[in-house]
Amino acid sequence: MSRHRGKPEASVLEARLEALNSAAELADGVLPKGDLASTIDVLERASTRRSLSADHTVVGFFGATGSGKSSLFNAVSGSHHATVAARRPTTSETLAGIWGTAGSEPLLDWLQVNHRHVMADESLDGHGSLILLDLPDFDSTAVEHREIVHRLAGQVDVLVWVLDPQKYADAAVHHGFLRPLASHGAVTLVVLNQMDRLAENQRKPVLESLKDILVQDGLGRTDVYPVSARTGAGVDELKAAITAFADRRQAATNRLIADVRNAARALDSGLDAEPAGISKPARAQLAEQLAQAAGVDAICDAVATSYRRQSHARTGWPVVRWLGKLRRDPLKRLNLDRKDVSPMLNRSSMPAPGPAQQAQSDKAVRQFADRAGEGASAPWRAAIRRSARSAEETLPDDLDQALAGTDLRSDRASWWWPVFGVIQWCALAAALAGALWLLGIAALGYFQFQVPETPRVEGFPVPTLLLAAGILAGVLLALASGLISRLVARSRAATARRRLRASVARVAEERIVQPVQDALARYQEFRRAVAKASGE
C-alpha cells in the first residue's frame, strides 16, 4: 500500500496514475513503442518514488558552469561540503546533504547518489526530512555529467534552477530544461545568483528581463529569488522557500502529478476530434458491396432461372416440356439447393473470387473502416482499419458458407402450376382426340369404307375444332405460363436477394462491424483515460 494515502493530493495522483496506466494499456499495439516509452517511464518512476520515503523532500540544485550553485548549496545548507573552486566544472559527482536519515538510504540509492553527508538538524532551524542535491553542471563538457543532470531532473521533487547574471538567458537552460518542465512550476524555484556582481541600477532590469523570459517559458508564476551566495543576501528567503516544501511534504506528489499530466498531454495529440463512428447507411453500404463481391446477383439470377425452368416443366406444353430437362438446374450447378446438409458444412460451388471481386471486397472494408475512424488520430485510424481487416483471410469462406446456408425458398411450388398443368393436359388430350378422330376418318376413306357424317359446330368439323383448339390452347397456356413465371421468378429473385443480403450483413456485422466497434470503444476509453490523467 502506498505511504501517500490519506492526503487529497495523493488521492488525485493515484486516480491519475490509474488513468495513465489504463491509457498506456489501451494504446499498447496502437501507438509506437517510442511514443509510449516516456509514459511507461513516468509510471515506473512514480511507482518507485511512492514506495520510498514520503517524509523526505528531495531538492536538486541545477545550474550551468560558473553559476555558483555549489556556493549556494553551501550557503543554504550552512556547510562547506560542496567543493567551490575556480577550476570548472567543479562538481563531478552529485552531493547529497541529508536532514533526517530515517528512510533516506533507499531513496538515495534510487537516485544513485553515493556522495552523502548527514547534516545537523539545527542547520535548517529544525526543519527535518530534507535532502539537498548539488548536481554537476548541465552544460558540462563531460557527457556523463550531462546524463546525471537529465536523469535527476526527472527524479527530484523540487527543481532549483541557479542562474547567473551573465548567462541567465542562455538557451541551453531555457529550451533544454525550463520550457519542457514548464508544467512543473509548482515545484520549481528560479534563483538569480551572484547579484553582488551587478550594480544597483542593473539589478531591477536584469530581474525583469529574466521574468519576461520565464513568461515565454511558461513559468510566469514561478518566484524568482535574487541571491548572493558570497554575501548571503537573499539566502534566508530561498532557505525559507525550500523548507516550506519540506514542511508541507507535498512536493513529491505534486511533482508526480505534473509528470503524469505531461505524459498524458503527450498522448493527447490529435484526440480533440470526435471519430465519425458507424452509421446505419455505412452498415448497409458495406453489406451491399460485400454482397456484390460475393456473387449474390449471380445467385439471384440462378434462382430466377431455376424457377422458370421448374415452371416450364410443370406448366409448359407437354409436347416440348422434356426439352427443358436437357439443361441442368443452375442452383444444382452452384450446389445451392441442398437441404439435407448441416449449414456449418454446406459450401457452394460458386467460383472463387477473382482479383476484381477481391479488390471490390477490400475496398468496401477499407472505406467502411476509414469512415468509421474519420476524425481519430492517425495511429488509431490505422488500428481501426486493422480491426476491420482482422478477418480478411477467412472472410471469403465465411461469406460462401453464409450464402450456401441461406434458405432461398427455391423448393416451394406455386399454386398455379397444377392448375395450368391440368389444363395443358386437357388441351393435349383434346388435340390428340381431334387428331385421332381425323386420322380415323382418313383411314376409313382410304379403305373405301363408308365414312359416317362428322358432327359440325357452326359449320366446322368437331375433330378439326378439337385439334386446333387443343393446340392453340396449349400454345397460349405456354405463353401465359411463361409470362407468369417471369414475373414470379423476378419476385423470387428479389426475395432471395433480401435473404442473401441479410446473410451477408450478419457476416459483415460479426467479422467487420463488431471489431470496428470494439476498436472505436477502445479509442473512446483511451480518450477518457488520457483526459482524466491530464486533469481535464
Side-chain angles (χ1 to χ4, degrees), residues 94-315:
T94 305
L95 167 68
I98 308 166
W99 287 264
T101 57
S104 65
E105 293 294 324
L107 179 56
L108 289 167
D109 290 341
W110 174 63
L111 295 170
Q112 300 179 35
V113 176
N114 299 318
H115 195 185
R116 310 171 186 179
H117 291 278
V118 178
M119 305 297 187
D121 289 343
E122 58 270 15
S123 62
L124 281 182
D125 300 327
H127 300 278
S129 300
L130 177 68
I131 297 176
L132 294 185
L133 300 181
D134 181 25
L135 284 81
D137 304 328
F138 62 72
D139 60 349
S140 172
T141 56
V143 175
E144 60 273 18
H145 293 177
R146 296 197 301 272
E147 289 176 349
I148 292 173
V149 172
H150 279 280
R151 176 176 57 80
L152 287 175
Q155 291 180 289
V156 300
D157 303 328
V158 179
L159 302 105
V160 178
W161 298 101
V162 183
L163 310 177
D164 64 86
Q166 288 74 36
K167 295 190 293 184
Y168 69 88
D170 187 5
V173 64
H174 290 280
H175 294 288
F177 293 96
L178 291 175
R179 193 162 296 179
L181 292 171
S183 60
H184 294 64
V187 290
T188 298
L189 299 176
V190 176
V191 177
L192 185 59
N193 193 20
Q194 302 175 359
M195 291 295 289
D196 55 298
R197 295 187 178 183
L198 293 175
E200 188 67 30
N201 61 349
Q202 294 177 322
R203 295 178 181 179
K204 185 177 180 180
V206 170
L207 280 172
E208 290 179 351
S209 175
L210 174 57
K211 289 178 180 179
D212 289 340
I213 296 173
L214 291 175
V215 169
Q216 297 174 17
D217 291 336
L219 291 167
R221 296 184 179 182
T222 301
D223 293 330
V224 178
Y225 293 87
V227 169
S228 172
R230 188 177 68 85
T231 66
V235 171
D236 289 340
E237 289 78 1
L238 176 60
K239 186 186 299 185
I242 292 174
T243 55
F245 280 115
D247 291 340
R248 288 194 297 268
R249 298 183 183 180
Q250 296 175 2
T253 299
N254 290 335
R255 164 63 199 257
L256 292 176
I257 289 176
D259 287 344
V260 171
R261 183 167 57 247
N262 270 8
R265 287 176 177 173
L267 296 176
D268 193 30
S269 177
L271 298 184
D272 293 337
E274 184 78 17
I278 301 173
S279 64
K280 189 174 181 180
R283 274 189 169 101
Q285 184 176 6
L286 173 66
E288 174 63 23
Q289 291 174 327
L290 288 179
Q292 291 178 3
V296 165
D297 289 341
I299 296 175
C300 293
D301 290 342
V303 169
T305 302
S306 176
Y307 180 82
R308 290 197 302 270
R309 181 181 179 280
Q310 293 180 64
S311 294
H312 178 73
R314 301 286 189 89
T315 65

Side-chain angles (χ1 to χ4, degrees), residues 293-294 348-358 396 400:
S348 75
S349 296
M350 293 282 292
Q357 290 80 9
Q358 189 62 48
D400 183 77

Side-chain angles (χ1 to χ4, degrees), residues 88 313 362 418 491:
R88 294 171 185 165
D362 292 343
S491 175

Side-chain angles (χ1 to χ4, degrees), residues 331-349:
L331 288 179
K332 291 182 181 295
R333 187 172 65 252
L334 295 176
N335 199 27
L336 293 172
D337 65 333
R338 299 190 301 167
K339 305 301 177 186
D340 57 342
V341 180
S342 168
M344 295 300 295
L345 303 176
N346 204 4
R347 293 292 186 276
S348 75
S349 296

